[in-house]
Amino acid sequence: MTQSQQSHRKDEHVFLAEKYFKADANAGFDQIRLLHRALPETALADVDLTPPLPFGWRWPIYINAMTGGSPQTGKLNAQLGQLANALGVAIASGSQSVALHDPELSSTFTTLRQHNPDGFIFANIGAGHDVQATMKAVTMLQADALEVHLNAAQEVIMPEGDRDFLWQKNIQAIVAGVSVPVVVKEVGNGFIREDLQTLQQLGVRYVDVGGRGGTNFAIIENARRPQQDFGYMRDWGQTTAESLLEARGLPLAILATGGVRSPLDVVKAQRLGAQAVGISGLVLHHLIQTGYSATLAYFQKFLHQIRQLYALLGVTNWHALQTAPALLSTELEHYRRARNLPMI
């Protein structure tokens, strides 16, 4: 079968995501300082990492949306499903839009469920789709929840991207009409408070802030343009740290993705209010560079180190972490004050 443009684009995205992967991300986590406790008065056995979400998750991290839609990315999804199953973490599919247009590609997504039969899986669809298409995506994966992604900047720069971003009615209809929890997520450009408040008014309860600093679709899509004339957009958007500050105090369950590179990044994101933290680029990088077994071992240690960091900070659960002593850099504190956002 001749590969479609959409399917080929999925392979390009994976190749370019790995090409531009940076071990040191610029998501703002270096601007958050958690203060050492010389007398933590904790024990590792007492640490409970269960996130305060009604999803039944054991761990505060999940493998966030990456890929699917081509034979090669289907193989990656099989490994990702196996990894989520072995770690006991939730996982999100990459955008399933391509499989809705070409049902022959659905197997490159359903392999997630085949290799993770009892795990928590998010379906994934763009905000431009209606409720009927969204339910097809959920049914395809027997999904436990749904991610509705917002990617206006990516679409603008994508040579063949959409040019219609009238999404609010769709989001409201999806939240009201879909039978599973709905997380609205940015794909790497973050949020400001005004848009989070709009989502709340539309009935959204869960938001993934998807901040700048990790996989950068402005760079990826610009690399696919003949003239590469959007290079100036590489720093477009709010970092993950800034986006978390924008979300503080709102009656929304906040998840955070974007530039997570270490267990300390996870704990810092949680200290700023993230109830769970998604990881994408780091997982993909390790799978490509080291293979499945080494990636599994790496993230098993990663999870254990989150527990160790909680104990080191003198906290035993997410709620206690919210009052752990922390400081913002001068730059990040200036951002908070300029935007009149709540203190940490």
Side-chain angles (χ1 to χ4, degrees):
M1 182 180 67
T2 302
Q3 191 175 22
S4 69
Q5 182 185 41
Q6 283 185 309
S7 182
H8 177 65
R9 185 170 71 229
K10 301 300 182 180
D11 290 335
E12 287 185 293
H13 284 170
V14 168
F15 171 79
L16 292 168
E18 175 59 19
K19 177 180 178 180
Y20 294 115
F21 175 84
K22 293 182 178 180
D24 296 319
N26 187 26
F29 294 121
D30 60 329
Q31 298 178 343
I32 306 159
R33 182 178 175 186
L34 303 180
L35 303 188
H36 171 64
R37 304 301 301 272
L39 294 169
E41 203 65 16
T42 50
L44 258 66
D46 295 331
V47 174
D48 179 6
L49 294 179
T50 305
L53 292 165
F55 298 155
W57 292 1
R58 177 185 176 190
W59 301 107
I61 71 168
Y62 59 105
I63 300 172
N64 212 347
M66 276 183 267
T67 194
S70 71
Q72 184 61 34
T73 59
K75 293 176 182 177
L76 278 172
N77 265 346
Q79 290 185 304
L80 291 169
Q82 287 177 300
L83 186 65
N85 185 61
L87 292 171
V89 300
I91 186 168
S93 168
S95 174
Q96 295 164 254
S97 301
V98 64
L100 297 181
H101 289 100
D102 184 354
E104 289 187 24
L105 295 172
S106 62
S107 63
T108 68
F109 295 97
T110 57
T111 189
L112 280 174
R113 178 57 77 191
Q114 292 166 2
H115 288 89
N116 191 17
D118 301 315
F120 192 103
I121 296 180
F122 288 93
N124 185 335
I125 203 77
H129 289 83
D130 60 20
V131 175
Q132 183 179 8
T134 301
M135 282 305 302
K136 288 181 180 178
V138 171
T139 301
M140 186 188 302
L141 294 181
Q142 304 169 50
D144 303 279
L146 169 72
E147 286 188 343
V148 175
H149 64 262
L150 311 178
N151 65 334
Q154 179 189 7
E155 295 288 351
V156 164
I157 301 171
M158 186 189 303
E160 69 280 22
D162 293 338
R163 299 295 182 258
D164 179 349
F165 311 123
L166 304 173
W167 291 338
Q168 292 187 28
K169 288 184 178 180
N170 281 359
I171 293 170
Q172 187 172 37
I174 288 169
V175 171
V178 173
S179 58
V180 297
V182 177
V183 176
V184 177
K185 70 179 292 282
E186 242 288 349
V187 303
N189 298 109
F191 275 98
I192 59 171
R193 199 169 187 82
E194 292 85 343
D195 288 340
L196 292 167
Q197 290 170 327
T198 296
L199 289 177
Q200 177 195 342
Q201 293 165 4
L202 295 176
V204 174
R205 295 175 56 198
Y206 307 97
V207 174
D208 180 342
V209 296
R212 174 171 57 82
T215 303
N216 191 324
F217 278 100
I219 292 175
I220 288 172
E221 296 299 354
N222 187 57
R224 298 181 60 246
R225 295 178 66 86
Q227 303 300 322
Q228 298 189 3
D229 50 342
F230 271 94
Y232 58 86
M233 291 284 284
R234 70 184 66 230
D235 293 325
W236 183 261
Q238 292 72 250
T239 67
T240 305
E242 291 166 347
S243 298
L244 285 168
L245 291 178
E246 296 278 357
R248 285 187 67 78
L250 295 178
L252 293 164
I254 298 299
L255 299 90
T257 306
V260 175
R261 295 292 185 264
S262 71
L264 185 56
D265 289 347
V266 171
V267 178
K268 287 180 176 181
Q270 289 199 290
R271 175 59 182 85
L272 290 194
Q275 297 181 11
V277 178
I279 304 175
S280 301
L282 186 67
V283 178
L284 182 65
H285 176 70
H286 277 276
L287 267 182
I288 291 173
Q289 295 298 327
T290 70
Y292 174 81
S293 296
T295 301
L296 174 59
Y298 178 89
F299 281 99
Q300 286 172 331
K301 183 169 66 174
F302 192 106
L303 290 170
H304 181 61
Q305 289 183 0
I306 296 173
R307 185 183 303 279
Q308 291 174 309
L309 290 173
Y310 266 58
L312 189 60
L313 290 169
V315 301
T316 57
N317 57 50
W318 182 87
H319 295 284
L321 178 62
Q322 300 313 293
T323 57
L327 295 173
L328 303 181
S329 70
T330 301
E331 180 181 351
L332 195 55
E333 176 64 15
H334 175 75
Y335 179 94
R336 185 194 69 78
R337 292 185 180 185
R339 290 285 296 151
N340 194 29
L341 302 172
M343 296 178 64
I344 66 169

